[in-house]
Structures are given as structure tokens and as C-alpha cells.
Amino acid sequence: MTISAPPAQSRPFPTPLDIKMIVSDVDGTLLDSTHTLPTTSPTYRVLKRIRAAYPSLPIVISTGKQHRSTAELREQLDLSKFPCCHLNGNVIYSPTGEIVTESGLDIGVAKRVYEKMRKVGTSVFVYDYTTVYQVFHGKGDTGQWARILRQFGEDVVEDQDDVMQRIERGELNPIKMGICQDSETIAESIELLKTLFPPSAFALTSALPFCIEMIPAAHNKGTALTALLKYMSAELGETIKPENVIVFGDGENDVSMFGVAGMSVAMGNAMEGARNAATWVTESNDEGGVGRFLERVFWPIEN
């Protein structure tokens, strides 16, 4: 697959001098469809080559996953010296694992979402810093949604009846919530949420066709990238401008950071919204699209 650019988004292809930071989604972007990054993948090979040739160039992951879920990937790519963004931009971690910024859903909103989705029979999940709690099994849910989420590296704990009480007591921060349902019918639950809650209650986002996530309305991968630029500029002692950031993603939840960065690349397997919003479209995650694109940027003579 050749790299393409929507006509309205067309701009000159970047050079190494244009790029001061690389930011990438994880599932469907860095990882292949088996949720791994094989050492034979162009993405692994090229990112390791960039780390060796440009050791001070920040490579940052921005994902809906929790911090613990990406520990192996960060070690594999030697990214321990850089911060990372998790839970759809709601938590930014320093290189040492300390929380730089964080947010979460309003307790009252979380309680109402749980009650309304339980009433209509939709599976409900609550995310804190380290764990995904399934607080309700919906119609036809025999544990398949939890099993699928575990395949993405999530630590899912089912049948946690006390989670909502812990949230009400302030013992657990509901950073985000998710509902899982057959992709053919989940649109009904989305419309219900839009009807019952004002836009200020949360933002709806999706990285998987069967799962809709609710995150704080004021925070997403785009706001996290803005905060990250301030943090990195302070740490480096020089300003990193948005136009010098290149981002990679495949989901609707990546579109917000596409709007902040000067350069955005959607995967060949990306959702339509991400493809339409990106500056360029590269090969799929299974083809090592991130690596193939960056190789054309940093070593064009070889391609």
C-alpha cells in the first residue's frame, strides 16, 4: 500500500528536521492484530533504529490502555526515558512512573451511567489506574467482552459488586467507563447516553467497534498532547511546537491528537474518522505501517 493524503490535507512529506517528537497509539497502530510487536516487524526495526540514531528524539505512546499494560512494549522499544499518556489522555506519567496530570469522571455521572446501562442490559466497565472492573454483565454477556479486553493486555476483574460503592466513598477514581455490546446494536446505547446526559458530562470515544468509552469531557488524547508539549518543553529546556510533532493512530479516539499535531498518520486499518482526519494514510499495523512511514522519512534514499 502506498502512502496517501486526502486532497484537503495534502502537505509536503516530512524530513527528519521537521520532527521533534513522535507520538503513537498502541493497539491497531504499533501492535499487530495479535496484539504483539514482533521483532520482524518494520515498526520494531525502524523505531529501534531511530532510538539508536536519534537517542534524544522523544518517542511517546498515547493509548487508552493503563500504564501497566504497556510496560513490556515500553521496555521492548527502549522508551523508559520518555513520558507516556494513558487512559485516553486522562493520565500522563513521567519517565519514572509518577503521575504528571490526571482526571476522572464525576462520581454522580459514573453512578448514573451504571444505573442506566444496567437497566437496559448493557455490560459496564470501570477503569482506574491499574484495573478494569466489570461491574455488570449485560444481555448475552457470558464473559466474552472481558476475554477480548484481556487479549489487549487489560487486567479485567469481573463481578466486582462493591466497585460502585467504593467510587461513592471516594476510594476509587473512575478515570473512564466503557460499555460493551454487539457492534450491530451498540448504536442504540450510544443514542441513549446522548439523550440522558449533557455533553459536559463526558465525551464518547471508541477504539473498538463493540466498545464505547466515556472519558471526562475536558480531556482526551489531544488535550494530553498539549499538556505533554508543555511538560517536554520544560524538561528539555526548549520549546517543541505542535507543527514539529508527528502522530500515528487508527481509532476515533486518536482524532483529537490529529487535530493538535502538525503531522498525523492514520493506519491502513484505521477507522474512517481517523483516516479522514489524518494528513497521510500509511500501511496497516500488520504490515508495520508506522515503521514503513518513518523509514521513508528518516532514510528516504534506502526506499
Side-chain angles (χ1 to χ4, degrees):
M1 176 181 174
T2 55
I3 292 172
S4 61
Q9 305 284 341
S10 184
R11 58 158 286 170
F13 199 72
T15 70
L17 293 176
D18 295 323
I19 298 176
K20 304 300 182 184
M21 183 188 295
I22 299 169
V23 181
S24 181
D25 173 51
V26 174
D27 289 306
T29 304
L30 291 179
L31 303 186
D32 65 17
S33 56
T34 67
H35 315 298
T36 61
L37 179 58
T39 56
T40 55
S41 168
T43 294
Y44 174 84
R45 176 175 53 80
V46 174
L47 286 177
K48 292 289 283 187
R49 188 177 180 184
I50 291 173
R51 287 291 296 117
Y54 301 87
S56 61
L57 176 63
I59 301 176
V60 176
I61 59 173
S62 182
T63 176
K65 299 161 77 84
Q66 291 152 324
H67 190 253
R68 58 160 297 281
S69 300
T70 62
E72 182 178 345
L73 177 65
R74 283 181 278 116
E75 181 178 357
Q76 185 181 16
L77 292 175
D78 186 26
L79 305 182
S80 60
K81 68 177 290 185
F82 306 121
C84 45
C85 304
H86 289 267
L87 293 159
N88 281 326
N90 285 285
V91 186
I92 298 177
Y93 291 90
S94 73
T96 58
E98 297 175 340
I99 294 175
V100 177
T101 64
E102 63 179 315
S103 61
L105 293 169
D106 176 80
I107 292 175
V109 168
K111 181 180 178 182
R112 282 192 64 211
V113 168
Y114 167 73
E115 292 172 345
K116 297 299 183 182
M117 292 298 98
R118 179 168 183 156
K119 187 175 181 180
V120 298
T122 299
S123 296
V124 182
F125 297 80
V126 174
Y127 292 67
D128 73 354
Y129 303 98
T130 61
T131 307
V132 182
Y133 302 95
Q134 181 161 11
V135 294
F136 180 68
H137 285 75
K139 299 173 184 176
D141 183 354
T142 59
Q144 70 268 29
W145 306 128
R147 287 193 295 272
I148 293 173
L149 291 176
R150 290 189 186 104
Q151 292 173 7
F152 284 88
E154 303 285 16
D155 181 17
V156 184
V157 180
E158 299 177 73
D159 303 315
Q160 294 295 293
D161 297 332
D162 67 333
V163 169
M164 298 311 298
Q165 289 75 26
R166 290 169 60 193
I167 290 173
E168 289 189 61
R169 294 194 298 264
E171 299 171 1
L172 190 152
N173 180 15
I175 298 174
K176 69 175 183 177
M177 296 181 74
I179 60 170
C180 289
Q181 192 173 337
D182 289 332
S183 56
E184 295 80 9
T185 60
I186 198 168
E188 299 172 10
S189 295
I190 296 173
E191 289 306 311
L192 181 61
L193 288 169
K194 290 180 178 179
T195 300
L196 294 174
F197 294 90
S200 59
F202 48 71
L204 295 172
T205 187
S206 176
L208 300 167
F210 60 85
C211 184
I212 296 296
E213 296 178 349
M214 288 138 279
I215 63 174
H219 298 274
N220 52 47
K221 287 189 176 186
T223 59
L225 179 52
T226 299
L228 180 68
L229 287 173
K230 293 180 180 179
Y231 172 78
M232 290 297 293
S233 296
E235 290 293 305
L236 296 174
E238 61 177 288
T239 301
I240 299 178
K241 298 178 180 179
E243 55 262 37
N244 296 122
V245 178
I246 187 166
V247 297
F248 294 84
D250 73 304
E252 301 284 354
N253 62 340
D254 296 313
V255 172
S256 59
M257 67 175 179
F258 284 9
V260 174
M263 298 166 281
S264 55
V265 185
M267 307 303 293
N269 53 287
M271 292 181 172
E272 183 178 0
R275 293 173 65 92
N276 291 340
T279 316
W280 299 283
V281 178
T282 186
E283 291 91 343
S284 72
N285 58 330
D286 286 335
E287 298 170 288
V290 172
R292 290 183 183 276
F293 188 96
L294 290 173
E295 191 167 43
R296 295 183 183 102
V297 173
F298 287 92
W299 294 280
I301 296 177
E302 300 177 11
N303 291 272

